[in-house]
Amino acid sequence: MECVITRRAQFSASHRYWLPELSATENIERFGPASRAPGHGHNYVLYVSMVGELDEYGMVLNLSDVKHTLKQEVTDHLDFAHLNDVWPEFQQTLPTTEALARAIWHRLAPHLPLTNIQLFEHPELWADYQGNGMEAYLTISTHFSAAHRLAHPDLSFEENCEIYGKCARPNGHGHNYHLEVTVKGEIDPRTGMIVDLEGLQKAIDDYVVEPFDHTFLNKDIPHFVKVVPTAENIAVHIRDLLQNPIQELGAKLHKVKLIESPNNSCEVYCTNTESESKPLQIKQPVLANV
């Protein structure tokens, strides 16, 4: 029986985004505060996922051995280090989150059956690398607060209550939405980036967070005048809003995850099919919401 296991590790390290071939002004314009000397630090959290068959002892790998390998190959090198200086690859590539995840993969791949490296620079920014050349994933986490009412405009109040329960009440209710936007791209061999981070954050803020925050979605966002603002439909709309701006930055939108509450979340992926881009519509009453 094949199984995926994950081991967590952590280390604290500093880094600086600075390219000597650029002037001081150009570095500041490109990397912002991350260009400041002597650098800045993070408490990194690393998740190493491995795949394999269960052995006679019910294990894929002995986790004590995995812990020793992570310490010997990664954390002993990186903990309390200045990342620009610690490994040879960072003499040519800046130690961004995505470049560091790739470098960790290549340090561990000879020793462990890897399936994914996930590296958190902080709780709102992380990268995934799966061994596919220079391809990596970068995720930004953010939030907005908004109210909504779940009621299809073509149905009666009674019919909407049958479908949506309390969520159909006329004055609506609110959520603190947690949003994760994942982009995919090729790691630039010099900057170590798959996308300009400030540009990505600005696109998410400009197209989603600022327009959506502290609104009544049904009334303040034109798209939801006729479309029921379920978590699924909100996620689809966010996907559609961000796809082109992210493409203009040179990356590809991979996934939008919207967490409506600790109990409810949804994920939508980027596709080019027209049918997948259409919002969910309800044509007649279905089972009551439980």
Side-chain angles (χ1 to χ4, degrees):
M1 179 183 294
E2 191 173 75
C3 183
V4 174
I5 62 171
T6 299
R7 177 72 187 186
R8 178 184 182 275
Q10 59 187 20
F11 57 91
S12 299
S14 66
H15 62 172
R16 184 190 184 197
Y17 293 170
W18 182 272
L19 295 177
E21 63 267 27
L22 301 182
S23 68
T25 300
E26 290 171 328
N27 272 294
I28 293 170
E29 288 177 351
R30 186 157 193 175
F31 303 120
S35 66
R36 294 173 183 169
H40 61 283
H42 299 284
N43 296 316
Y44 291 90
V45 180
L46 171 66
Y47 293 93
V48 178
S49 295
M50 299 149 283
V51 63
E53 297 287 333
L54 296 183
D55 63 18
E56 60 182 309
Y57 305 108
M59 298 188 294
V60 172
L61 295 166
N62 187 307
L63 288 179
S64 294
D65 294 338
V66 173
K67 178 181 178 181
H68 175 75
T69 300
L70 295 183
K71 189 173 187 296
Q72 179 175 288
E73 300 296 329
V74 177
T75 56
D76 275 355
H77 297 253
L78 303 183
D79 201 25
F80 289 88
H82 185 59
L83 297 175
N84 300 67
D85 303 327
V86 69
W87 283 343
E89 46 264 60
F90 295 131
Q91 300 305 306
Q92 297 299 320
T93 302
L94 294 178
T96 61
T97 314
E98 52 267 49
L100 185 55
R102 181 177 183 270
I104 290 171
W105 174 287
H106 288 293
R107 296 275 166 163
L108 293 175
H111 310 282
L112 299 171
L114 301 177
T115 185
N116 190 63
I117 293 290
Q118 186 175 72
L119 181 66
F120 283 75
E121 184 173 285
H122 56 72
E124 296 181 349
L125 177 67
W126 64 92
D128 287 85
Y129 181 77
Q130 298 172 353
N132 299 322
M134 298 297 285
E135 183 183 88
Y137 300 84
L138 191 69
T139 301
I140 284 183
S141 170
T142 186
H143 67 275
F144 60 90
S145 299
H148 68 167
R149 179 191 179 217
L150 302 187
H152 196 281
D154 296 335
L155 301 180
S156 69
F157 175 70
E158 290 73 20
E159 289 171 325
N160 276 309
C161 287
E162 185 178 356
I163 298 168
Y164 300 113
K166 295 178 181 179
C167 296
R169 289 176 176 175
N171 293 321
H173 62 281
H175 296 286
N176 294 316
Y177 290 94
H178 176 81
L179 173 65
E180 297 175 5
V181 176
T182 301
V183 301
K184 178 174 70 171
E186 297 284 315
I187 300 174
D188 185 280
R190 189 68 180 112
T191 67
M193 299 177 176
I194 66 173
V195 68
D196 177 71
L197 191 57
E198 289 190 6
L200 177 59
Q201 184 68 70
K202 186 176 188 303
I204 296 170
D205 288 343
D206 288 351
Y207 285 89
V208 180
V209 176
E210 288 302 320
F212 283 31
D213 194 34
H214 284 77
T215 63
F216 195 122
L217 295 172
N218 307 62
K219 297 183 178 181
D220 296 325
I221 305 299
H223 179 77
F224 294 118
V225 172
K226 295 293 184 180
V227 174
V228 182
T230 61
E232 297 93 326
N233 273 338
I234 297 169
V236 168
H237 187 47
I238 291 172
R239 181 197 66 183
D240 294 342
L241 290 171
L242 290 177
Q243 192 166 355
N244 286 337
I246 289 173
Q247 186 172 350
E248 291 173 1
L249 293 172
K252 179 180 178 181
L253 180 61
H254 174 65
K255 181 179 74 173
V256 170
K257 180 176 182 178
L258 187 67
I259 303 173
E260 184 177 86
S261 74
N263 298 325
N264 300 319
S265 66
C266 68
E267 299 179 12
V268 295
Y269 290 79
C270 219
T271 68
N272 294 319
T273 61
E274 183 180 353
S275 61
E276 289 293 327
S277 299
K278 291 181 179 179
L280 302 176
Q281 299 282 357
I282 295 176
K283 297 181 179 179
Q284 59 184 9
V286 292
L287 294 176
N289 190 38
V290 179

